[in-house]
Amino acid sequence: MIASDARLAINPNDKVLPSFSHMADAIVRMATKPDRRSGDLLLWSDTFASLRRLFIGVGAGALVGLMVGLNTAIFPGLRAMSRSFLTFLSIIPPLTLLPILFIAFGVGETAKVMLIFIGTVFVISRDLHLYVLQLPKEQITKALTLGASDLAVTYRIVLPQIMPRLIETTRLTLGGAWLFLIAAEMISATEGLGYRIGLVRRYLAMDVIIPYVLWITLLGFLLDWLLRLAVARLYPWYRTGKE
């Protein structure tokens, strides 16, 4: 506020640090006035496009990561083959794969979703793999002694116990998922929050960029809060003794 007032006092047309009123006017315009070219309300169409990509990518990463992490930790043969492999894949910087993804899948939706998927699936699978290995071995031994099959142990005893961990790990990967999403949208997209920021920066439209950044932060906070609430409501036993 102080810096904006100082710059605007010297140059009322300064775009670098807009006033709060200018930012409010810009975000209201983006949210309530249809675009002349497309007729869409840009804030909401961008938000819907970005959240769709985020949910598909993170959802697929969480589902595949759950199956990989669970099964590689339970079955010794898979565990021996996958331990170093998962570590290797989880260390690859996902953003370095973006040019490869654009070449392989084109510049459409698939490449953006694949970037988010690759950026989350190996982190989730590795974390769940390590978490399953920390579960009490007595549970598995007793279940096998009572006649449970390997599949029953995996999906009826171990799986329910790692579901809250899956939600927590997914929540922690959302920060990286947003980064991958915005980066992909800035490079190649026709709608989305990252695309809009990349587009208006050419005109130094900070009155749009700053509110969009705050809006992305708010969306990220709400998603984080919803996932924490889901863990607290669905699995109250998980945090017992942890907080």
Side-chain angles (χ1 to χ4, degrees), residues 45-54 95 98 102 107-109 111-113 115-116 177-199 201-202 212 216:
S45 63
D46 290 337
T47 300
F48 177 76
S50 292
L51 289 180
R52 183 181 68 246
R53 294 162 183 153
L54 185 74
L95 286 178
L98 190 54
F102 280 145
V107 295
E109 296 295 298
K112 302 177 186 63
V113 172
L115 178 65
I116 300 171
W178 275 108
L179 172 63
F180 307 141
L181 171 67
I182 299 303
E185 289 181 341
M186 281 187 173
I187 294 175
S188 175
T190 57
E191 59 179 351
L193 298 171
Y195 162 76
R196 194 66 54 190
I197 292 175
L199 179 66
R201 69 180 174 83
R202 304 173 185 174
Y212 258 61
I216 292 172

Side-chain angles (χ1 to χ4, degrees), residues 66 69-71 73-74 128-129 131-137 139-141 143 149-165 237:
L66 170 64
L70 173 62
N71 288 281
I74 290 295
L128 292 180
H129 176 93
Y131 185 73
V132 171
L133 294 179
Q134 296 174 358
L135 294 177
K137 298 296 187 296
Q139 295 180 359
I140 298 177
T141 302
S149 64
D150 291 339
L151 291 178
V153 170
T154 303
Y155 295 104
R156 298 187 61 182
I157 296 177
V158 178
L159 179 61
Q161 296 185 68
I162 67 173
M163 288 304 296
R165 180 70 175 205
W237 51 266

